Amino acid sequence: MSRRDWVPANLEEGVISAMRLEIGAFHVTDIKFGDHTGYSKGILTVNKEELLKVVKEDEHITTADLKIVHPGDDVVLCPVKEAVEMRCKVSGGHGIFPGVLSEMEIAGSGRTHCLQDCSLLVVGEHWGGFQDGLIAMGGKYQHHTIFGDMVNLVLVADTDEEFERHEQQKKNHALRWAGMRLAEYVGQCVKELEPENVEVYDLPALNERGPEVDKLPRVVYLLQPQTQMEAMGYNTLIYGWDGNHILPTFMHPNELLDGCLVSGSFMPTSSKISTYEFAVNPMIKKLYEQHGKTINFLGVVMSTLNVKMDEKVRCVKMAGQICTSLGVDAAVVVEEGYGNPDVDYTAMLVELERLGIKTIGLSDECTGRDGASQPLVSMNPVTDALVSTGNVSQMYEFPKMEVIGELEALARDGNSGGWEGCIHPDGSFVMENNGMFCANHISGYSKRTCADF
């Protein structure tokens, strides 16, 4: 292989693109079925037959249908496997999931057009698992997820992946990848259109920010995505690379906002960060908003969550070294999950505080159904600035509602919030928050917290 075979053309020409990302927003007020796929004046029209052909490009998809749900519909979706924002790259890249659906390239520059205020949800027609969840579009628990408050295009499908049919843990590969393909396909309908507004994310290199910014507190967003599974195919993907195989690294926030992360298929679903939320990250956007005003937002330290103690210690120490080398003053540490990962989470907070870095922790907690248990598996007095996004063990009681998918999956298939007998003969049911899809919104969307009185 010659140098010209692998060096990008723009580098040969002596041009290196800046990390300036433009998000062209198209605000969807409704989704309708029609004879074409397009967008006009807030209305996203989709051709069902056309889109299902895209879904069935994977021979493992055996049956598929598309539905549309609106806020206030008396409907629950179960088992929900993924949520994705429908978008497309206009410039600065070839696809919305580099390293996954398109060639490997650094995300975060150029322009991306996004269909906002809506999402694409992927639901199993039958079988669920430990990591799959439930969304209520109406009723008492509508507002417990952001997806209950937006119009959603719903892919309901089944696969021939019999090898994991009766497994509690499922990779959901065919369905998750179908959702990503579909999100990109629908997003293409706004590629040539003029956005209703453009969000600009332009964070210069560390040595190009000027004295006024340099004197502000230096802050990082330290993300611990779910990467615990040693078997491949379940963990968060970083440019298509299984997160279990990475070491802590420093990244530009635009990479996350432009699709470098794909949510995994592991862990109780209320504690999950969906692919939608990885890319529409309100915490990163809030840090951007304060950059140059109250803080110097350096960027993202990407770390991991591990099973073995020596792996936990290694990643915590390496992340700490990155932060000290960057001269970090403060960090927002975000843990995706709870239980065993709490050890990585609190260890990271303690290590950064030991290094003189002020920390805030963002995660959910497991305080038991009575709310009286220890909230984190691992606790330390140093971790005195924690933000809780919800209690995974909180109980919910649902009346009978229309179901998209199969409600029996909640009780039958090992869903982390359900159990045998949780569905009553009259169609009503009870479940733990554990099983509500992304309900705790550790990305920063959560409306819930706990207070010390």
Side-chain angles (χ1 to χ4, degrees), residues 94-361:
H94 297 91
I96 62 172
F97 298 112
V100 181
L101 295 187
S102 59
E103 64 185 79
M104 172 59 205
E105 56 192 345
I106 296 298
S109 61
R111 174 174 284 198
T112 299
H113 282 180
C114 301
L115 291 158
Q116 297 188 352
D117 309 316
C118 66
S119 81
L120 171 67
L121 300 176
V122 181
V123 177
E125 184 179 354
H126 296 296
W127 300 93
F130 179 74
Q131 67 291 309
D132 299 329
L134 180 144
I135 292 174
M137 293 303 302
K140 183 178 180 180
Y141 304 108
Q142 173 190 343
H143 308 299
H144 281 231
T145 75
I146 58 172
F147 306 106
D149 291 328
M150 62 176 73
V151 58
N152 300 290
L153 179 64
V154 184
L155 168 62
V156 188
D158 199 9
T159 80
D160 65 3
E161 295 165 314
E162 296 294 336
F163 65 94
E164 64 179 19
R165 181 74 83 194
H166 298 286
E167 296 292 331
Q168 185 182 37
Q169 204 72 48
K170 294 175 173 62
K171 296 180 181 179
N172 289 322
H173 184 276
L175 294 179
R176 291 162 61 215
W177 261 246
M180 287 188 284
R181 288 198 311 277
L182 195 57
E184 185 165 39
Y185 184 87
V186 175
Q188 292 290 323
C189 76
V190 294
K191 185 171 184 178
E192 305 299 330
L193 301 183
E194 188 64 28
E196 289 149 26
N197 63 280
V198 177
E199 307 162 10
V200 177
Y201 300 96
D202 188 2
L203 197 64
L206 298 182
N207 62 340
E208 297 178 354
R209 301 190 175 184
E212 292 302 310
V213 174
D214 286 343
K215 69 183 181 182
L216 296 171
R218 299 159 70 88
V219 179
V220 295
Y221 178 82
L222 197 154
L223 179 61
Q224 297 176 303
Q226 190 52 242
T227 52
Q228 286 183 289
M229 290 291 281
E230 295 181 346
M232 297 296 94
Y234 299 97
N235 295 307
T236 304
L237 297 179
I238 304 162
Y239 288 112
W241 187 261
D242 194 294
N244 183 263
H245 286 178
I246 76 160
L247 290 171
T249 188
F250 182 61
M251 300 179 70
H252 197 288
N254 287 8
E255 296 178 73
L256 278 68
L257 297 178
D258 204 27
C260 79
L261 294 181
V262 170
S263 178
S265 188
F266 175 61
M267 71 180 290
T269 188
S270 69
S271 303
K272 182 185 295 186
I273 301 177
S274 63
T275 297
Y276 178 99
E277 291 173 83
F278 274 137
V280 190
N281 189 307
M283 192 69 241
I284 286 181
K285 291 183 178 181
K286 180 60 69 171
L287 292 168
Y288 245 118
E289 180 185 303
Q290 293 302 310
H291 176 70
K293 300 176 182 177
T294 61
I295 65 170
N296 179 0
F297 181 27
L298 300 184
V300 177
V301 176
M302 185 69 65
S303 190
T304 58
L305 296 169
N306 309 279
V307 176
K308 300 173 183 176
M309 282 304 302
D310 61 338
E311 295 171 349
K312 296 176 187 290
V313 172
R314 180 185 300 113
C315 285
V316 165
K317 294 293 184 182
M318 292 186 70
Q321 184 280 131
I322 291 172
C323 289
T324 54
S325 295
L326 292 171
V328 173
D329 297 307
V332 178
V333 180
V334 180
E335 172 202 17
E336 184 189 8
Y338 73 97
N340 184 289
D342 291 344
V343 178
D344 306 70
Y345 175 54
T346 54
M348 186 70 74
L349 294 165
V350 171
E351 175 67 5
L352 295 185
E353 290 281 353
R354 184 186 71 83
L355 295 170
I357 299 168
K358 298 298 182 183
T359 60
I360 294 175

